[in-house]
Amino acid sequence: AQKVTQAQTEISVVEKEDVTLDCVYETRDTTYYLFWYKQPPSGELVFLIRRNSFDEQNEISGRYSWNFQKSTSSFNFTITASQVVDSAVYFCALSDMDSNYQLIWGAGTKLIIKP
Amino acid sequence: EADIYQTPRYLVIGTGKKITLECSQTMGHDKMYWYQQDPGMELHLIHYSYGVNSTEKGDLSSESTVSRIRTEHFPLTLESARPSHTSQYLCASSVPRGGRTDTQYFGPGTRLTVL
């Protein structure tokens, strides 16, 4: 069965530090998609990135970067030079054929950036 | 940028009242979803729809009902609200007509409190 594990329940760092949020997934399908969403204290879920299983190229967007490694079934998210505005709960999710392309969600990692 | 709207944003209501949470999207997306989430916690899918006149129950059993009479509109109704229904309700949509992406875009959410 599909599963997404975000082992870090909460991470607290001081502003300007780099921080990595871990995401490990399980799926039997060879075609699948991985996602990261951000949920700030206001509550809305903001889409950050979607990656398909055939594209292992790492992605960088400003201070955000994603490291997709099929060999370890991981899709980790790194924030460089963190800022207070990065404080949020971050969710990793998986969709595949088995799930009929519904999202399988991780439990989320609460990131606290202290000034 | 997603155009998906939810009203009301906040609702405090007494036990036994009937309520309808509204969700509309202007992106022409076929699929729509309702999630229930306690603040910062895991998301639970309660209803989804593939298109007009299609409604399905999600993984989490819910006493709510939904309807999909128009592509852009996916309201959720609680016939008799109870304190156990207190939560945040998030609406999402994905897949433009004829498209393939399953990236879900979320509305701002409705925070429901039942006294």
Side-chain angles (χ1 to χ4, degrees), chain A:
Chain A
Q2 316 94 320
K3 189 177 177 183
V4 175
T5 301
Q6 295 180 257
Q8 304 148 310
T9 306
E10 183 173 306
I11 301 174
S12 181
V13 300
V14 176
E15 200 173 19
K16 296 182 185 172
E17 285 185 16
D18 298 347
V19 59
T20 295
L21 310 182
D22 297 333
C23 174
V24 174
Y25 62 91
E26 294 175 31
T27 176
R28 294 177 303 181
D29 288 335
T30 54
T31 301
Y32 54 89
Y33 301 88
L34 296 164
F35 302 79
W36 275 95
Y37 285 83
K38 174 183 180 180
Q39 188 174 42
S42 52
E44 78 274 20
L45 271 161
V46 178
F47 165 71
L48 295 178
I49 191 171
R50 173 179 182 260
R51 178 53 50 115
N52 75 57
S53 53
F54 298 109
D55 183 2
E56 281 194 78
Q57 204 169 9
N58 290 332
E59 176 107 4
I60 298 175
S61 176
R63 296 183 297 106
Y64 293 175
S65 62
W66 291 269
N67 182 6
F68 176 28
Q69 290 199 332
K70 287 174 81 168
S71 60
T72 55
S73 298
S74 64
F75 186 44
N76 296 338
F77 173 32
T78 297
I79 301 175
T80 304
S82 60
Q83 299 176 1
V84 172
V85 293
D86 296 327
S87 297
V89 180
Y90 290 86
F91 290 93
C92 180
L94 161 76
S95 77
D96 62 10
M97 193 183 301
D98 249 1
S99 70
N100 202 19
Y101 297 104
Q102 306 287 15
L103 288 179
I104 308 299
W105 294 88
T109 296
K110 183 175 183 179
L111 178 62
I112 299 168
I113 309 297
K114 294 186 272 193

Side-chain angles (χ1 to χ4, degrees), chain B residues 17-51:
Chain B
K17 299 291 186 184
K18 177 179 178 179
I19 58 169
T20 296
L21 309 184
E22 301 288 349
C23 176
S24 295
Q25 50 94 5
T26 58
M27 298 170 286
H29 284 175
D30 284 332
K31 288 187 180 177
M32 295 189 75
Y33 313 81
W34 276 104
Y35 290 88
Q36 184 175 342
Q37 183 197 29
D38 291 330
M41 304 296 285
E42 199 167 343
L43 283 87
H44 298 284
L45 181 67
I46 50 176
H47 298 284
Y48 59 100
S49 165
Y50 289 113

